[in-house]
Amino acid sequence: MQSGELVAAAAPSGTATTLLDRTTALKGVELTVVVPTFNERDNIEILLSRLDAALCGIEWEVVYVDDDSPDGTAAKIRALAQNNPRVRCLQRIGRRGLSTAVVEGMLASCAPYLAVIDADLQHDETLLPRMLAMIKADDLDVVVGSRHTAGGGIGDWDRRRATISNIAARLARLIVPADLTDPMSGFFIMTRPAFERAVRCLSGQGFKILLDLFASTPVAFRFKEVPYVFGQRQHGESKLDSFVIWEYLMLLIDKTVGRYVPARFISFAAIGGLGVVVHFTTLYFGLKLVSFPAAQAIATFTAMTSNFALNNMLTYRDRRLTGRRFVTGLLSFYAVCSLGAVANVGIASAAFADHYTWWASGLAGAVVGVVWNYAVSSVLTWRRN
Ligand code: GDD
Ligand code: MN
């Protein structure tokens, strides 16, 4: 027995219309629109009515993925959902991140087609039906809304942002196909099988979910682009800050050499190298004021403290320690580095006694020291909650 017949049998008056209505109602969702939100309370309802207008005739739903916005975005979404069964709210607590929000929204959907669009009305939702038709007709994996293909545009961006975006797009060529003109786009539609192929390999870092997907898929995506012009934000403000650039570099490192060396380790070691500079600078000036042992001690603590602060801000941005945990984290970092120094000196001395050259012995000690500091601080200082 088919599901339609079942409904018809159960319905008191099995007229043709009832059968038709119920059968449509039983059809699953074809398109899930995932909308990441952070402090977008005033944009939710406008976007919803625009989606309603644009997606007429399609079985769709919208999943807003909200990272516990302090402005009450989630409550607003749930209130709208009371009157509209197409609306769902996925609220995440204690976590932030545009990429992971999009991934979890997609994972919460059962639809065969998945779209992503910003909440702030900067993307053109009226293109969605065309994008859906295209992905089906041409049997594609992804259709990308692009600002950098003929007919597209970046709206009224200032020179600085346009330049940064340009450089970022060029760097992206390292890891994605060259004919993907807007790898930073946050506006696209993809098929579920394509998503499922890539999802376990994603880096999940930062803002660039489309780039991450293209760089992570084991089989290259078949894709096309549709041009759109980036609109203006009406309410609220952008969440992109300067750290986006750093996160972007980490994503590139992760997708190029991450298979061999973790991106976090490269960041940690680079900051360690900077720490050496801090150490010698402090020592140089300290010697003008105090004795050598005192200056050396001050230099050591200054370098450890600045290393801690930088790693906390960059390497472990996603697990950043604040308030009291910043202080306890710093103390644990001192402890870890002290043991690292003991291991460093021990290994280097042993190697030197074994007749290795002074620089090879020193290098061996330093490598052991930095690996120790990285490994132990990652579980003690910046442990996952
Ligand atoms: N859940 C969640 N968590 N959503 C977030 C977060 C977060 O940490 N950060 C930002 N968002 C949401 C915003 O609420 C918005 O709906 C969308 O993600 C885009 O954020 P904006 O802050 O508006 O970014 P933008 O307009 O500056 O950036 C746009 O251009 C970039 C390329 O230059 C977006 O389209 C990006 O996706 C795109 O990469
Ligand atoms: Mn925006």
Side-chain angles (χ1 to χ4, degrees):
M1 191 192 272
Q2 284 188 339
S3 51
E5 288 173 54
L6 190 74
V7 173
S13 60
T15 63
T17 6
T18 317
L19 176 70
L20 198 74
D21 286 352
R22 297 295 171 95
T23 316
T24 337
L26 279 177
K27 254 210 240 150
V29 170
E30 180 174 37
L31 173 70
T32 298
V33 182
V34 176
V35 185
T37 61
F38 192 76
N39 285 347
E40 304 284 4
R41 191 191 50 215
D42 297 335
N43 288 319
I44 301 299
E45 193 165 3
I46 311 176
L47 179 68
L48 181 61
S49 56
R50 290 200 191 173
L51 287 174
D52 242 326
L55 296 172
C56 176
I58 296 169
E59 275 308 318
W60 64 281
E61 67 171 355
V62 55
V63 177
Y64 291 98
V65 187
D66 184 62
D67 285 351
D68 210 18
S69 306
D71 76 346
T73 302
K76 175 84 197 181
I77 300 165
R78 280 192 284 266
L80 289 172
Q82 287 294 309
N83 299 312
N84 190 338
R86 295 196 191 278
V87 179
R88 289 204 284 144
C89 176
L90 185 74
Q91 185 175 6
R92 308 195 302 169
I93 295 178
R95 277 192 301 150
R96 277 293 304 274
L98 176 48
S99 287
T100 55
V102 168
V103 170
E104 284 167 41
M106 289 180 167
L107 287 172
S109 143
C110 300
Y113 297 97
L114 307 161
V116 184
I117 191 166
D118 285 355
D120 56 5
L121 317 169
Q122 293 189 285
H123 295 155
D124 184 356
E125 77 290 336
T126 62
L127 291 174
L128 284 170
R130 220 179 97 205
M131 291 161 82
L132 180 63
M134 237 168 121
I135 204 169
K136 285 191 204 168
D138 300 346
D139 196 21
L140 302 168
D141 296 312
V142 189
V143 173
V144 182
S146 169
R147 296 161 292 188
H148 302 303
T149 191
I154 52 173
D156 63 345
W157 274 10
D158 56 51
R159 272 283 274 286
R160 186 173 158 269
R161 183 159 182 190
T163 314
I164 293 178
S165 165
N166 234 317
I167 298 172
R170 262 168 224 224
L171 278 175
R173 300 278 133 79
L174 289 172
I175 55 173
V176 297
D179 48 349
L180 182 65
T181 61
D182 192 358
M184 316 292 154
S185 179
F187 180 38
F188 57 93
I189 179 166
M190 73 190 300
T191 66
R192 168 165 300 285
F195 170 68
E196 283 176 358
R197 267 184 272 140
V199 68
R200 283 167 212 285
C201 313
L202 290 175
S203 142
Q205 284 251 3
F207 254 70
K208 308 300 167 200
I209 181 61
L210 183 72
L211 185 78
D212 200 356
L213 283 163
F214 268 84
S216 303
T217 177
V219 189
F221 288 144
R222 283 160 303 167
F223 72 97
K224 276 192 183 162
E225 301 182 320
V226 291
Y228 81 97
V229 178
F230 201 59
Q232 266 208 40
R233 187 182 252 281
Q234 316 279 345
H235 304 280
E237 53 192 39
S238 169
K239 281 92 212 170
L240 284 185
D241 54 24
S242 343
F243 288 107
V244 171
I245 301 173
W246 173 265
E247 286 179 342
Y248 181 62
L249 287 179
M250 285 295 110
L251 174 62
L252 286 183
I253 292 176
D254 186 44
K255 284 298 164 197
T256 44
V257 296
R259 221 168 322 159
Y260 312 106
V261 196
R264 255 197 235 278
F265 178 74
I266 293 178
S267 162
F268 190 88
I271 289 169
L274 198 68
V276 176
V277 178
V278 170
H279 184 108
F280 281 96
T281 315
T282 316
L283 184 59
Y284 177 81
F285 289 107
L287 277 176
K288 297 185 192 289
L289 302 169
V290 291
S291 66
F292 182 85
Q296 172 72 357
I298 293 171
T300 305
F301 271 94
T302 310
M304 282 196 295
T305 311
S306 72
N307 278 10
F308 172 78
L310 284 172
N311 278 313
N312 194 48
M313 195 165 68
L314 300 171
T315 314
Y316 290 102
R317 189 162 177 72
D318 54 333
R319 304 183 203 169
R320 209 166 354 159
L321 306 172
T322 51
R324 229 179 52 164
R325 292 182 56 216
F326 183 91
V327 180
T328 52
L330 177 61
L331 294 178
S332 80
F333 191 69
Y334 285 153
V336 170
C337 293
S338 307
L339 283 178
V342 172
N344 176 341
V345 174
I347 296 283
S349 309
F352 192 67
D354 231 13
H355 307 294
Y356 284 93
T357 58
W358 63 268
W359 60 265
S361 309
L363 186 65
V367 168
V368 168
V370 70
V371 171
W372 161 275
N373 287 351
Y374 171 71
V376 181
S377 72
S378 79
V379 292
L380 281 187
T381 309
W382 289 285
R383 68 172 167 270
R384 273 180 216 281
N385 293 334

